[in-house]
Amino acid sequence: MTTGQSSFSTDIATIRKRAREHLEQGALTPNYGADVETAIRVLNEALATEIVCVLRYRFHAVTATGIASESVKAEFEEHAQEEEAHMLWIAERINQLGGKPNFNPDGLSSRSASQYVEGKNLVDMIKEDLVAERIAIETYREMIRYFAEHDPTTRMLLEKILAQEEEHANDMHDLLVAHEGKPMLDH
């Protein structure tokens, strides 16, 4: 090894010893870098947001009407399924951290970053879903910054979800342009 290069070394004996301690904590080991209670609280808020998004998209998939509604309904349903997957991934991560995923409907709207707004017509529904996706994008970016190097597993999970939320926002933007008949941005 040349000078100037750092080497990776670890005390495997200490790691082996610590691994035998506190087995009740499962995957949560002493070198977990984030505050566990804060991580669980933040993830439960994300869980509530995903539940609200599932419910709103499913409502829109069932109730959308109009001449062009069938393709939009299919998009709403696809997004509902993907939001449900996000919900389950987050719940599983909460469980891995030793927390309890909060699926309780009581207080759901106060825990969620997004709102459950039905919309009066197809364009309103699309707009409400686009607003919710934009909220999700911002909150996931903040969470990713919070977890950063302190919890790479949670960070990577949130990055995966963020990528899909950005795709959903783009889909809703495209639908809005198609159904309002005008571009949303001037280039």
Side-chain angles (χ1 to χ4, degrees), residues 64-131:
T65 58
I67 193 164
S69 68
E70 286 308 309
S71 64
V72 177
K73 288 172 90 155
E75 192 72 28
F76 288 157
E77 180 56 32
E78 179 183 324
H79 287 204
Q81 291 172 13
E82 290 172 353
E83 301 290 355
E84 186 172 0
H86 301 169
M87 176 189 77
L88 295 173
W89 296 339
I90 291 168
E92 188 59 41
R93 184 62 184 152
I94 292 167
N95 187 60
Q96 290 169 355
L97 293 173
K100 179 180 168 188
N102 189 348
F103 284 98
N104 191 330
D106 291 341
L108 182 63
S109 62
S110 65
R111 293 189 313 269
S112 172
S114 67
Q115 299 170 302
Y116 182 88
V117 181
E118 294 178 352
K120 294 177 247 145
N121 56 47
L122 190 62
V123 171
D124 279 354
M125 291 177 180
I126 295 167
K127 283 180 180 178
E128 290 304 328
D129 288 330
L130 178 54
V131 167

Side-chain angles (χ1 to χ4, degrees), residues 11-12 21-22 33-34 38 50 52 58 63 73 81 84 100 105 120-121 123 125 129 132 157 159 163 170 180:
D11 181 356
I12 196 67
E21 299 169 353
H22 308 293
T38 301
E50 293 296 341
V52 168
R58 285 266 156 78
T63 63
K73 288 172 90 155
Q81 291 172 13
E84 186 172 0
K100 179 180 168 188
K120 294 177 247 145
N121 56 47
V123 171
M125 291 177 180
D129 288 330
L157 170 63
E159 288 171 346
N170 190 61
E180 280 195 327

Side-chain angles (χ1 to χ4, degrees), residues 34-47:
D35 178 72
V36 179
E37 290 79 25
T38 301
I40 291 168
R41 179 185 52 79
V42 166
L43 289 172
N44 264 316
E45 290 167 1
L47 176 63

Side-chain angles (χ1 to χ4, degrees), residues 129-169:
D129 288 330
L130 178 54
V131 167
E133 295 297 353
R134 290 170 54 85
I135 291 168
I137 289 166
E138 262 194 68
T139 56
Y140 279 121
R141 284 184 185 147
E142 287 180 16
M143 285 186 268
I144 290 164
R145 283 191 288 273
Y146 170 76
F147 286 103
E149 71 275 358
H150 301 297
D151 182 345
T153 303
T154 300
R155 185 197 73 235
M156 289 187 307
L157 170 63
L158 297 175
E159 288 171 346
K160 179 179 178 181
I161 293 171
L162 174 61
Q164 283 193 330
E165 301 296 9
E166 288 175 344
E167 180 182 319
H168 291 174

Side-chain angles (χ1 to χ4, degrees), residues 25-39:
Q25 293 181 353
L28 195 60
T29 61
N31 69 348
Y32 181 75
D35 178 72
V36 179
E37 290 79 25
T38 301

